[in-house]
Amino acid sequence: MKDQIKAHVKWQVEAYVKSKKDHENENIIKKIESFQNRNAEIVKVMANTTITDRKQEDDHTYVHYDVHMQYLIKQKDKMYMEEKLEHHLASFYKDKLYESREINQEDIILNQREIESELNENDDMPRISYRYDRLKAVQYAEKWWNSYNPAYKKFEVDCTNYISQCLHAGGAPMRGYPNKSKGWWMRSNNWSYSWSVANSLRIYLASSTAGLQAREVGSPHELMLGDVICYDFQGDGRFDHNTIVTGKDALGMPLVNAHTSNSRMRYWAYEDSTAYTPNIQYKFFTIVDNP
């Protein structure tokens, strides 16, 4: 079974390298097209497969496995590595593989819309001085992009929790404890909505006048390392996802890290995402110092 899974993954890897736009896998087609639209080329793809679970039901066997994908990208004279952790389910009948599909983690974001929350911000909050260390924020994002810091709670929809951790690692101060609808904080087994809910963090970044503060800009090109992008996949005004800028491509556009669907140095627009729709809306926030 392991050999059949590896053969299936190898077949998919070859499709990327040969840029087979007629491949039956829609996700592969989307990714190939997203690179071609940026005049970028997939030079090499590496895949490391790990079986995580196996279940037997009569003549049927179901195997969960993870694939750590690494894409070596060339764009103009720049090379960089994009990475993503994919979760798959392989189905066997009498030990013969008949189906293997990716379990799209980004669909969890849409199928489990985060709780509605109201922020209760006051303009008279005490001033908190800090300087945002972008390098430390990016270093944290790189260290934990595919794992989870045991010092923090892990969420099933973990994107905003991960971004909050990155911002805090860069020196952004917490405030508002113990009011969940006020400020931005996590302590022990409790946290504010803005720490863990994508839409609440977007509101907080746009409105905070004390502690962690940000300024909205009109273009992703204006963002710097350590800045934040918010995603409203359905374009309904409720934002579902957040990422942090960890690099720039050859055209100066952001590459981002994220959780839920754990990704590293991914192109910011998410056009290859299963959650992407033509109605997608973005918010671009640059973090500001408060010296």
Side-chain angles (χ1 to χ4, degrees):
M1 291 184 182
K2 187 175 182 179
D3 290 341
Q4 293 180 66
I5 289 173
K6 286 186 175 181
H8 178 76
V9 172
K10 182 180 178 181
W11 171 66
Q12 293 186 312
V13 165
E14 290 174 349
Y16 282 117
V17 176
K18 296 177 181 178
S19 294
K20 291 184 177 179
K21 293 180 69 174
D22 59 345
H23 197 278
E24 65 183 32
N25 188 311
E26 184 179 353
N27 293 346
I28 291 177
I29 295 172
K30 280 185 176 181
K31 197 162 196 72
I32 291 172
E33 289 179 343
S34 71
F35 282 118
Q36 292 179 344
N37 291 340
R38 299 162 49 216
N39 294 318
E41 176 188 359
I42 304 175
V43 177
K44 185 177 182 180
V45 180
M46 294 164 283
N48 183 38
T49 306
T50 304
I51 293 176
T52 59
D53 191 33
R54 174 174 169 167
K55 184 178 180 180
Q56 188 75 38
E57 294 182 1
D58 299 325
D59 291 334
H60 293 268
T61 307
Y62 302 97
V63 179
H64 287 268
Y65 66 98
D66 291 344
V67 184
H68 180 182
M69 300 293 296
Q70 295 178 295
Y71 308 89
L72 182 61
I73 311 302
K74 181 179 181 182
Q75 187 185 37
K76 291 188 174 182
D77 58 351
K78 181 173 183 176
M79 305 276 285
Y80 69 92
M81 184 76 75
E82 176 183 326
E83 301 184 66
K84 183 183 177 185
L85 183 68
E86 297 181 355
H87 303 284
H88 291 253
L89 174 62
S91 301
F92 294 83
Y93 179 70
K94 293 185 177 179
D95 296 335
K96 184 176 181 179
L97 178 67
Y98 66 87
E99 182 187 38
S100 183
R101 62 180 179 86
E102 182 182 353
I103 303 170
N104 292 308
Q105 296 298 102
E106 283 158 13
D107 289 342
I108 296 176
I109 297 172
L110 298 181
N111 294 333
Q112 185 179 317
R113 298 300 292 269
E114 294 161 327
I115 61 172
E116 196 70 45
S117 60
E118 294 292 335
L119 294 184
N120 180 23
E121 292 299 317
N122 295 322
D123 291 335
D124 59 351
M125 289 292 294
R127 182 174 177 272
I128 306 174
S129 297
Y130 76 96
R131 289 191 179 276
Y132 185 50
D133 191 324
R134 297 178 179 277
L135 177 59
K136 286 185 178 180
V138 170
Q139 287 174 335
Y140 186 96
E142 288 284 84
K143 179 177 180 179
W144 297 103
W145 80 268
N146 196 25
S147 58
Y148 301 88
N149 188 340
Y152 295 92
K153 176 180 172 61
K154 174 186 172 183
F155 296 81
E156 182 179 12
V157 179
D158 198 63
C159 59
T160 304
N161 176 43
Y162 168 69
I163 298 305
S164 289
Q165 291 175 37
C166 295
L167 294 171
H168 187 55
M174 299 183 191
R175 68 172 179 87
Y177 175 84
N179 190 335
K180 291 179 72 69
S181 62
K182 188 174 182 179
W184 173 78
W185 55 271
M186 172 174 274
R187 184 182 295 187
S188 300
N189 200 35
N190 204 1
W191 54 89
S192 65
Y193 295 127
S194 58
W195 183 276
S196 62
V197 178
N199 196 50
S200 294
L201 178 61
R202 188 267 306 180
I203 295 171
Y204 181 80
L205 292 176
S207 60
S208 175
T209 59
L212 170 61
Q213 296 176 62
R215 174 172 54 88
E216 186 175 351
V217 297
S219 165
H221 198 274
E222 300 177 64
L223 296 175
M224 298 180 286
L225 299 185
D227 285 339
V228 175
I229 302 177
C230 305
Y231 301 75
D232 173 7
F233 287 115
Q234 297 177 329
D236 60 2
R238 180 166 181 77
F239 283 72
D240 312 284
H241 186 52
N242 298 302
T243 66
I244 184 170
V245 178
T246 53
K248 293 289 187 80
D249 71 3
L251 302 179
M253 299 301 284
L255 303 172
V256 299
N257 286 23
H259 266 196
T260 301
S261 180
N262 295 357
S263 307
R264 175 183 176 271
M265 300 289 278
R266 184 174 182 174
Y267 189 63
W268 71 272
Y270 266 59
E271 293 171 334
D272 60 338
S273 169
T274 57
Y276 178 89
T277 75
N279 298 322
I280 192 169
Q281 297 291 320
Y282 307 94
K283 292 284 187 180
F284 310 109
F285 289 102
T286 186
I287 308 303
V288 298
D289 293 334
N290 193 355

